[in-house]
Amino acid sequence: MAGTLLAGLSAGLITVLIIFSTTTHGAPTSAQCAANIPIKSWAALGDSFANIVGDGLQDYEALMANDQCLQGKAPQYLANPDATISQITSQQVPKLRSNTNFVTVSAGSIDIGLVGILDACVYNWIGSASLSCSQTLSDAANVMSSAAFGSNWNNLLTRTRSVLTPNNGKAFVVGNAAFFDETTPQCDQISLAVYGGSAQQKYLTKSVRKSLNELIHRYNWWQHYLITKYNRQQVPSGNTLQYPIQFIDPDDRFNARRFCRIGSKGTGSSEPHTWFSDGERLKTPLTRSAYEKLRPPATCDDNGGWNEYIHCRMAKAIQKTPFLALTPSGAGTSLSNWEEIFHPKTSGQDLIRDEIVDQIAQGPTLSGFNLRILPLGASIMAGAHSTHGYGFRKTLYDTLRRTNTVSFVGTQGEAPFVHEGHGGWDINSVTSVATAGLRSRPNVILVHVGTNDLINNNAVDNAPDRMGALIDRAHSIAPDAVVLIAQILPCSRAGQFNKFVTFNARVASIINQKQVQNKKVLKVWMPITTEDLVDGIHPGDAGYSKMAQAWIKGLQRAADKGWIGAPVRV
């Protein structure tokens, strides 16, 4: 099975501006779009994920240009496949037109070394001198947490914002989708390595898939966090609807569309339900001499972008070990072939277009629902350190009840702001007590828990699995309810921050697994930084208000999916 990837192996690194909409409402009209962002001129910034298509056909910019929402306005194409974040800032942003008020951004795949990670963990372009998969993943994590990486992102956002027209200018940075379904067994003996021979294989075991997914979720977390830090400086009021830079997370759109998914047939490029290319089009072998001419081993640059890196590594490998034999996946007749791997195909590009348009037209309110809400977790869900003691619940209640029927359920607190938040409790403890609140049959369950597991070092590596068990408990008792899982707030206490990043990355994978099992569970990004915390753990009033806004956004997404029904009569 070496050199072949079942179409189930779908969904690679989808960065910036890749969102695939499964909303149930109709296509937005030009009037709806103009009401939120009256687009004068728009531009596409970024790296290969802004302009490379996995099947070589249409990209999302071309599709967007013909959408009624954009009224036929064509983009200013500025993206460069091999651009780093700093190069996007210095080389692309200065070329923006003076009347630009809408920008899409894809950035970071070069900075975190994605192509090197794919080399070490999947394709093995360098042959017997392959890099360590675990080391490249560790290096990427260190890059993301570095001060330089944060500074580069801040510079990009600052420069982009400075060019956008005042008041109504918006930039959309779209996150990435995890590559794999990490639970299925069929890929454990599959390899996409470019050379034959058992010594050269890189099998896509569950462990490898889990690690690569964690990389993507970790990068999404950092993008969102750094964007939140920037927006916090720009909008001191904390009104997240006014944030000039919007982060869009497409990850759960790829559930049942990832590599190694259940029910896959054929390769990723031929399987209609796989949204990324795995290299199936790379079928005509090149000779060793052709590779050496394409990229002379002595002078090529294996620190460059995707194609330069890949072809240089292969030329060096073949020169060093002449007996290496190319498998079908190792064939390639043009530079563009290799750029397409793990990039979305046209079917994905079409959905990217839909999601961008939906975001442009989306209104701020949720209306017409009967919401019976169970807030479930520890002290943050109880409202610790808020002046009135209600945390986010009062802002959430006051906002939602303007256009909806709203009630909270739980055994703690006072009506109407009751809850099931227990200060100091860990995930298992919250799971054990959840039954009482769940028997009230909420149709919405809000969950923020895990902080105490992490700060108390309570079997931290297994904490995401305990979150999975909590989701299962909620679904078993209230199967009709939507479960919104917060990416837990960061922690500024010594030695804690990175544990929280890792936990959130792993929980994101758990949520995806539950969605594949047809459970109505969604991840909710919290626009909170360490500056919003009053004691290194809990937010103050302003932070709780932002949490309420995030829950409303999560509810809107659940409503768009058609997941919120009337509460069950009890």
Side-chain angles (χ1 to χ4, degrees), residues 257-499:
R257 301 291 188 271
R258 308 181 196 274
F259 291 139
C260 302
R261 68 181 181 82
I262 295 173
S264 58
K265 301 175 182 178
T267 64
S269 294
S270 64
E271 166 64 40
H273 299 298
T274 296
W275 288 350
F276 280 80
S277 172
D278 62 8
E280 184 201 50
R281 297 177 69 236
L282 314 175
K283 289 299 186 186
T284 305
L286 289 177
T287 64
R288 295 185 183 87
S289 61
Y291 263 107
E292 291 176 358
K293 291 179 181 178
L294 188 64
R295 287 291 186 272
T299 59
C300 66
D301 179 14
D302 57 7
N303 290 314
W306 283 70
N307 278 308
E308 180 69 19
Y309 177 101
I310 295 167
H311 285 280
C312 182
R313 287 259 163 167
M314 292 181 71
K316 288 182 176 181
I318 291 171
Q319 179 190 53
K320 182 177 181 179
T321 312
F323 58 81
L324 283 175
L326 290 170
T327 66
S329 288
T333 59
S334 71
L335 293 179
S336 62
N337 286 144
W338 277 119
E339 282 188 337
E340 294 173 10
I341 58 172
F342 287 91
H343 285 68
K345 298 185 293 186
T346 300
S347 56
Q349 302 284 350
D350 189 48
L351 289 168
I352 295 171
R353 182 272 313 273
D354 289 347
E355 183 62 24
I356 297 168
V357 169
D358 284 348
Q359 291 294 318
I360 295 172
Q362 186 180 62
T365 60
L366 184 79
S367 63
F369 289 90
N370 185 354
L371 303 172
R372 186 185 297 161
I373 302 172
L374 171 65
L376 181 63
S379 56
I380 290 175
M381 297 305 280
H385 290 277
S386 60
T387 54
H388 45 53
Y390 303 134
F392 65 80
R393 299 190 305 285
K394 187 176 190 309
T395 301
L396 182 63
Y397 181 82
D398 291 344
T399 303
L400 288 176
R401 71 193 300 260
R402 294 169 191 160
T403 52
N404 304 273
T405 300
V406 183
S407 61
F408 289 115
V409 295
T411 64
Q412 306 296 302
E414 300 175 354
F417 305 119
V418 294
H419 60 90
E420 203 64 59
H422 299 267
W425 286 27
D426 60 16
I427 298 171
N428 278 346
S429 299
V430 170
T431 302
S432 67
V433 79
T435 301
L438 292 169
R439 284 176 176 162
S440 297
R441 297 304 298 270
N443 60 347
V444 174
I445 304 168
L446 310 180
V447 179
H448 183 293
V449 68
T451 299
N452 294 306
D453 298 73
L454 302 185
I455 62 176
N456 295 320
N457 290 315
N458 177 16
V460 170
D461 288 343
N462 296 325
D465 293 325
R466 297 196 291 274
M467 179 70 83
L470 186 155
I471 295 170
D472 291 341
R473 171 68 67 85
H475 185 264
S476 68
I477 300 174
D480 52 302
V482 174
V483 184
L484 301 184
I485 306 290
Q487 291 274 276
I488 64 171
L489 308 192
C491 178
S492 60
R493 293 187 179 180
Q496 298 294 331
F497 192 91
N498 286 332
K499 288 195 296 185

Side-chain angles (χ1 to χ4, degrees), residues 67-349:
D67 191 276
Q68 65 172 349
C69 187
L70 277 78
Q71 304 174 46
K73 293 182 174 68
Q76 182 185 15
Y77 291 93
L78 296 172
N80 181 312
D82 298 330
T84 63
I85 296 169
S86 293
Q87 288 169 337
I88 295 169
T89 304
S90 63
Q91 299 172 16
Q92 298 178 26
V93 173
K95 297 178 182 178
L96 288 171
R97 300 175 185 135
S98 60
N99 64 338
T100 299
N101 70 330
F102 175 61
V103 171
T104 59
V105 184
S106 168
S109 68
I110 301 297
D111 299 77
I112 68 172
L114 178 62
V115 67
I117 293 167
L118 291 178
D119 182 5
C121 302
V122 180
Y123 285 100
N124 194 19
W125 292 299
I126 195 59
S128 59
S130 176
L131 302 169
S132 161
C133 179
S134 60
Q135 185 60 55
T136 57
L137 291 168
S138 176
D139 291 344
N142 290 335
V143 167
M144 293 178 219
S145 62
S146 69
F149 187 75
S151 177
N152 288 340
W153 261 108
N154 186 69
N155 290 339
L156 172 58
L157 300 177
T158 301
R159 290 289 300 278
T160 300
R161 176 60 178 150
S162 71
V163 177
L164 292 174
T165 55
N167 300 323
N168 63 6
K170 293 277 188 180
F172 290 93
V173 177
V174 181
N176 307 326
F179 299 119
F180 302 103
D181 184 325
E182 62 192 56
T183 63
T184 57
Q186 65 256 42
C187 288
D188 288 345
Q189 294 300 313
I190 287 178
S191 173
L192 288 180
V194 298
Y195 306 111
S198 60
Q200 313 301 331
Q201 300 310 300
K202 295 282 186 178
Y203 291 107
L204 296 171
T205 63
K206 292 184 183 69
S207 176
V208 169
R209 285 179 268 153
K210 181 178 179 179
S211 295
L212 287 169
N213 284 352
E214 183 182 326
L215 165 78
I216 300 306
H217 294 309
R218 183 183 297 271
Y219 185 49
N220 279 348
W221 191 93
W222 275 110
Q223 287 184 95
H224 178 268
Y225 187 75
L226 294 171
I227 290 169
T228 299
K229 284 179 68 73
Y230 175 81
N231 282 328
R232 188 179 187 276
Q233 297 169 352
Q234 301 302 307
V235 185
S237 70
N239 184 346
T240 59
L241 293 174
Q242 296 177 357
Y243 281 179
I245 311 294
Q246 297 291 326
F247 176 75
I248 303 175
D249 176 14
D251 180 57
D252 68 359
R253 314 282 181 175
F254 279 80
N255 288 328
R257 301 291 188 271
R258 308 181 196 274
F259 291 139
C260 302
R261 68 181 181 82
I262 295 173
S264 58
K265 301 175 182 178
T267 64
S269 294
S270 64
E271 166 64 40
H273 299 298
T274 296
W275 288 350
F276 280 80
S277 172
D278 62 8
E280 184 201 50
R281 297 177 69 236
L282 314 175
K283 289 299 186 186
T284 305
L286 289 177
T287 64
R288 295 185 183 87
S289 61
Y291 263 107
E292 291 176 358
K293 291 179 181 178
L294 188 64
R295 287 291 186 272
T299 59
C300 66
D301 179 14
D302 57 7
N303 290 314
W306 283 70
N307 278 308
E308 180 69 19
Y309 177 101
I310 295 167
H311 285 280
C312 182
R313 287 259 163 167
M314 292 181 71
K316 288 182 176 181
I318 291 171
Q319 179 190 53
K320 182 177 181 179
T321 312
F323 58 81
L324 283 175
L326 290 170
T327 66
S329 288
T333 59
S334 71
L335 293 179
S336 62
N337 286 144
W338 277 119
E339 282 188 337
E340 294 173 10
I341 58 172
F342 287 91
H343 285 68
K345 298 185 293 186
T346 300
S347 56
Q349 302 284 350

